[in-house]
């Protein structure tokens, strides 16, 4: 069969079904093409399996679009689109399979031995041919992969030179012209030896150059096979195969080695499961990786540090280091052993989490025990090692489903060490409060006028369950923990971490706890923006109203608020500038946000932000505001204006874009937050 036998069809999209029909109908021909293009150095057995694998992987995964304007083709180059696509994929993979493997390059799929089909215990190869087939095989071995593909397209597919170039280029050949030049040199007799026997393969419409007299060293051909008949001989048919056994002695040796390896693995697994120092006593922990005395001391439950309840009242610092060990399971040595082992070597079944910037390695020494007890349906253990708070939790029944959480808490003192999250379940959260906390309550930030309601605690300092905003899908309420410690009230927010963040109010140099009326009124309109910092290792969040502005057209008086979230690790802070319309019931609108910038902080308390605002009458304005020490504000770009003082309002078009800058009282320029 040649492409002249096919009905010419316009080039267009190819469906998966159309390609599959072409592949099934012409499967032997496609496998023969792949077998001929693959390098003979692979060996006949691997060439056979690889040729079948390449053809079976040639189907498209989805509809393949065709070119917008089909190119004009000669009648002898016409081909069915489905067959043309599958043949092109086979050629592309065959060319890739012939590329040499690079030392540091990732091998491509076609360069690796095929996963399917596989034949075990037998070697498959086509039937042997005569002298002409041997000569052609030697010729193909001396050609490059693109030249072999061009040879097959000419001789077997009856393609003209123009179509050969197009098919090779579509198949990914680097230089199709060089492949044709290599064949031209072959036809002109520049390549001696077996080429003389197959010069008749030049293709339709070509007259081979007169060859020299056969070399006496070359065997005389048994028959002069010309055209496609030599390529279609049984020597190159990978669908009609012969079978022979492989190396039986080597197979027996490999079988013994595999059997010994399986027995060794079974013995090692049984030893790891034995009681004692094996897997069983450490629950969900991974196998031990070292026998270091210092590391073993850190994992000994008898050496865990326990602070007495009488220490914290006389301590100079009020931080986690003076928290007493609480909970009814502080003396449960097996529980503590499992918790320490999982901390050091969490197994694959352990659900582990860590806030950004928190190291998750084992303790460097015996950690401090904060809590061990039953909470809801879990046994919970809380440790502190001076840098981190580590929480281990396991079900009351069994150790399946153990969880391990890490959070940084270095430098936490006073209000920052007032509470730790014990559990989160069913949308609720429970806290373990510091021993100096005298009272706990819940305050909804979205309801500033409502008084907080009391939150009960048990004898160990664990609070009742309260709905957590970190687990809520909508910002309908934002519950915070308000604690009293003898020196005032503190407001703590659950941001999805073990240590709740402290909520503050005021300028960078003198923030206070956000418990006052003015602070609650602003936080009620900005609290929902806290979702942008969930799970980021935030230790405190401070809001500051840095400017007020009278709006154009008598629309009222608005405010500008800067919210800065500081992390425990120091880096990764987030700054958010918000615009508060005159209506106190309207939430704040985000005007600008940035990360890892000093703006609105102790180092750089200044901030400049702007927004595009629409007046009630429909007019658009560019609004901008800066801190108290801003001398003037300037806007350029889509709107050009300048205003003396820290605020600006300029008429603009809807969707206008502009650049803001400010001049400080000392003459320095300050860009806008972005």
């Amino acid at each position: 069969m040649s492409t002249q036998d096919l009905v010419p069809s316009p080039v267009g999209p190819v469906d998966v079904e159309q390609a599959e029909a072409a592949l099934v109908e012409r499967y032997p021909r496609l496998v023969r093409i792949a077998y001929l293009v693959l390098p003979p150095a692979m060996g006949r057995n691997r060439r056979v399996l690889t040729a079948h694998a390449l053809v079976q992987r040639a189907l498209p995964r989805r509809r393949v679009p065709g070119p917008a304007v089909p190119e004009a083709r000669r009648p002898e180059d016409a081909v069915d689109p489905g067959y043309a696509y599958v043949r092109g994929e086979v050629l592309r993979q065959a060319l890739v399979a012939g590329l040499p493997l690079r030392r540091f390059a990732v091998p491509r799929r076609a360069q690796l031995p095929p996963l399917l089909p596989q034949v075990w215990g037998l070697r498959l190869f086509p039937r042997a041919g005569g002298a002409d087939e041997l000569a052609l095989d030697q010729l193909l071995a001396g050609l490059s992969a693109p030249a072999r593909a061009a040879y097959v397209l000419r001789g077997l597919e009856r393609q003209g030179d123009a179509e050969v170039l197009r098919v090779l280029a579509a198949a990914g050949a680097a230089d199709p012209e060089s492949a044709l030049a290599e064949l031209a040199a072959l036809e002109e007799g520049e390549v001696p030896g077996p080429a003389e026997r197959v010069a008749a393969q030049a293709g339709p419409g070509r007259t081979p150059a007169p060859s020299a007299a056969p070399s006496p060293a070359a065997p005389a051909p048994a028959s002069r096979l010309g055209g496609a008949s030599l390529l279609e001989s049984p020597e190159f048919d990978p669908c009609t195969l012969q079978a022979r056994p492989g190396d039986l002695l080597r197979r027996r040796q490999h079988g013994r080695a595999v059997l010994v390896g399986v027995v060794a693995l079974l013995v090692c697994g049984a030893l790891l499961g034995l009681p004692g120092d094996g897997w069983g006593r450490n629950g969900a922990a991974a196998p031990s990786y070292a026998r270091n005395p210092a590391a073993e001391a850190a994992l000994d439950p008898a050496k865990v540090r326990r602070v007495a309840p009488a220490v914290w009242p006389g301590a100079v610092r009020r931080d986690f280091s003076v928290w007493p060990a609480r909970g009814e399971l502080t003396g449960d040595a097996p529980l503590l052993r499992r918790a320490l082992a999982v901390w050091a070597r969490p197994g694959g079944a352990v659900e582990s989490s860590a806030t950004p910037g928190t190291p998750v390695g084992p303790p460097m020494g015996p950690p401090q025990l904060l809590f061990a007890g039953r909470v809801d349906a879990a046994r919970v253990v809380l440790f502190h090692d001076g840098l981190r708070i580590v929480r281990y939790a396991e079900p009351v029944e069994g150790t399946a489903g153990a969880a391990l959480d890490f959070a940084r808490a270095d430098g936490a003192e006073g209000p920052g060490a007032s509470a730790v999250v014990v559990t989160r379940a069913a949308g609720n959260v429970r806290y373990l409060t510091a021993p100096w906390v005298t009272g706990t309550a819940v305050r909804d930030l979205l309801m500033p006028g409502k008084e907080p309601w009391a939150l009960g605690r048990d004898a160990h300092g664990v609070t009742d369950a309260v709905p957590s905003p970190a687990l809520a899908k909508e910002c309908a309420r934002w519950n915070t923990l308000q604690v009293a410690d003898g020196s005032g009230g503190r407001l703590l927010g659950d941001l999805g971490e073990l240590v709740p963040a402290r909520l503050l109010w005021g300028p960078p140099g003198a923030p206070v706890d956000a418990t006052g009326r003015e602070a609650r009124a602003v936080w009620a309109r900005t609290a929902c923006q806290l979702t942008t910092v969930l799970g980021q290792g935030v230790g405190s969040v401070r809001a500051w109203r840095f400017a007020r502005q009278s709006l154009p057209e008598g629309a009222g008086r608005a405010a500008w608020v800067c919210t800065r979230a500081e992390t425990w690790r120091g880096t990764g802070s987030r700054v958010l500038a918000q615009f508060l319309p005159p209506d106190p019931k309207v939430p704040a609108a985000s005007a600008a946000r940035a990360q890892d910038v000093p703006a609105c902080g102790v180092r750089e308390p200044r901030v400049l932000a702007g927004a595009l605002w629409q007046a009630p009458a429909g007019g658009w304005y560019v609004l901008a505001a800066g801190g108290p020490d801003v001398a003037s504000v300037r806007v350029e770009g889509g709107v050009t204006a300048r205003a003396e003082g820290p605020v600006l309002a300029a008429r603009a078009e809807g969707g206008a874009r502009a650049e803001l800058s400010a001049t400080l009282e000392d003459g320095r320029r300050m860009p806008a937050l972005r």
Side-chain angles (χ1 to χ4, degrees):
M1 183 189 70
S2 70
T3 55
Q4 293 177 342
D5 301 327
L6 300 174
V7 178
S9 60
V11 178
V14 178
D15 291 322
V16 179
E17 294 80 4
Q18 184 180 5
E20 182 184 17
L23 188 148
V24 173
E25 181 181 357
R26 302 179 179 92
Y27 183 82
R29 186 179 188 86
L30 292 168
V31 177
R32 184 187 293 267
I33 292 174
Y35 182 82
L36 288 167
V37 176
L38 287 172
M42 296 176 63
R44 292 191 295 173
N45 181 74
R46 184 176 172 186
R47 281 175 70 191
V48 167
L49 297 180
T50 303
H52 283 273
L54 297 184
V55 175
Q56 294 173 14
R57 295 201 302 255
L59 282 180
R61 296 182 181 274
R62 58 183 67 86
R63 181 181 178 88
V64 179
V69 180
E71 298 179 0
R73 304 212 183 156
R74 298 182 300 176
E76 64 267 21
D77 292 336
V79 67
D80 172 65
Y83 176 72
Y85 173 83
V86 177
R87 184 187 63 188
E89 284 296 302
V90 171
L91 288 174
R92 181 182 63 81
Q93 296 185 73
L95 293 176
V96 172
L99 297 177
L101 289 173
R102 302 295 181 183
R103 185 170 185 178
F104 297 105
V106 178
R108 300 171 67 175
R109 184 181 181 186
Q111 295 177 278
L112 300 175
L115 297 178
L116 290 175
Q118 287 288 348
V119 178
W120 288 22
L122 291 175
R123 298 186 61 83
L124 303 178
F125 48 88
R127 289 181 293 181
D132 293 301
E133 287 82 356
L134 177 61
L136 177 58
D137 196 47
Q138 294 174 353
L139 171 69
L140 295 177
L143 296 177
S144 63
R148 286 196 299 271
Y151 192 90
V152 172
L153 290 174
R154 273 186 176 184
L156 189 63
E157 293 290 277
R158 300 292 197 271
Q159 298 289 340
D161 283 352
E163 185 68 6
V164 169
L165 291 174
R166 188 194 67 79
V167 174
L168 288 180
D175 193 356
E177 291 81 2
S178 298
L180 290 183
E182 191 173 348
L183 293 186
L186 182 71
E187 295 171 4
E188 293 173 3
E190 296 180 9
V191 180
E196 301 173 358
R197 301 182 181 276
V198 292
Q201 301 286 15
R206 296 178 179 81
T207 302
S211 61
S215 172
S223 61
R224 305 297 289 177
L225 296 178
S229 58
L230 190 58
L231 291 174
E232 294 178 348
S233 65
E235 169 78 12
F236 308 108
D237 183 9
C239 292
T240 304
L241 303 171
Q242 293 178 324
R244 293 291 185 274
D247 192 333
L248 300 179
L249 183 59
R250 179 176 298 179
R251 185 198 306 175
R252 181 180 300 172
Q253 295 172 348
H254 289 177
R256 292 173 180 172
V258 171
L259 179 60
V260 172
V262 171
V263 172
L265 288 176
L266 293 176
V267 172
C268 292
L271 291 177
L272 290 175
L274 291 177
D277 292 335
W279 175 266
R281 66 182 297 186
N282 291 332
S288 179
Y289 56 86
R291 303 291 297 181
N292 182 276
E296 291 183 351
L299 303 182
D300 188 353
K303 296 182 179 181
V304 170
R305 292 188 295 111
R306 294 173 171 84
V307 177
V311 172
W312 73 264
V316 177
R317 292 169 53 92
R318 287 192 172 184
D319 55 15
F320 290 116
S321 65
V322 298
W323 274 35
R326 289 173 288 177
E328 70 274 18
L329 299 179
T330 54
D332 190 339
L335 172 63
L336 298 182
R337 177 179 289 107
R338 290 194 299 271
L340 292 170
V342 172
W343 178 1
R345 309 182 306 275
V350 176
E351 296 183 6
S352 182
S353 68
T355 57
T358 304
V360 295
M364 298 183 64
Q368 176 189 353
L369 178 62
L370 303 181
F371 177 83
R374 294 184 180 88
V375 183
D376 295 331
R379 287 187 290 260
V380 180
V381 181
L382 291 174
F383 294 109
H384 175 59
D385 66 352
L387 175 68
R388 302 165 293 179
I389 297 292
V390 181
R391 186 181 77 100
Y392 171 80
E394 66 180 24
V396 173
E397 300 295 334
T399 60
L404 186 66
D405 302 302
F406 297 87
R408 286 187 64 166
D410 45 323
E413 184 178 4
S418 296
V420 174
V421 171
V422 179
T423 61
R424 286 191 182 89
N428 297 325
V429 62
R430 292 180 185 266
Y431 300 94
L432 175 67
T433 58
W436 54 81
V437 170
T438 59
T440 55
V442 179
R443 180 181 288 278
D444 187 354
L445 285 183
L446 302 185
M447 303 180 67
K450 183 179 180 180
E451 291 297 322
W453 61 94
L455 183 64
R457 293 185 295 168
D458 63 14
H460 303 291
V462 178
T463 68
D464 296 339
V466 58
S468 170
L471 303 176
K473 297 182 179 179
E474 298 180 355
C475 187
R477 57 182 177 179
W478 199 280
N479 293 329
T480 58
L481 176 66
Q482 184 168 314
V483 299
D485 56 8
S487 61
R490 317 294 183 186
L491 206 59
L492 307 175
D494 180 19
L495 299 183
E497 303 168 19
L498 291 181
V499 182
R502 187 182 179 189
L503 304 183
L504 302 171
W505 167 256
V512 296
D513 290 279
T515 55
R517 178 177 300 178
E518 183 182 18
R520 298 199 308 269
V522 173
W523 270 108
R525 305 175 67 181
T526 61
C528 290
Q529 300 290 346
L530 289 175
T531 56
T532 60
V533 296
L534 291 177
Q536 299 300 315
V538 174
S540 65
V541 185
R542 177 181 47 78
W544 173 41
R545 185 177 57 214
F546 64 90
R548 291 180 180 272
Q549 182 176 19
S550 297
L551 299 178
E553 301 182 12
R557 191 167 177 80
W560 293 84
V561 173
C562 175
T563 303
R564 183 179 180 89
E566 298 281 3
T567 65
W568 291 105
R569 62 189 183 276
T571 60
S573 59
R574 298 195 176 189
V575 181
L576 182 67
Q578 298 163 297
F579 174 75
L580 276 65
D583 189 353
K585 298 181 180 179
V586 177
S590 177
R593 65 180 60 189
Q595 185 169 346
D596 280 327
V597 296
C600 199
V602 176
R603 285 180 49 204
E604 180 57 68
R606 305 169 185 86
V607 63
L608 174 67
L612 192 63
W613 174 77
Q614 186 177 23
W620 287 94
Y621 293 85
V622 170
L623 304 180
D629 55 351
V630 172
S632 63
V633 181
R634 184 180 183 86
V635 59
E636 297 174 332
V639 180
T640 302
R642 185 177 183 277
E644 298 295 331
V647 296
L648 174 144
R651 189 81 183 195
E653 299 292 334
R657 303 180 66 86
E659 294 290 334
L660 292 176
S661 63
T663 302
L664 303 177
E665 293 179 352
D666 58 6
R668 291 182 299 161
R669 291 182 62 83
M670 180 179 65
L673 184 70
R674 64 177 63 192

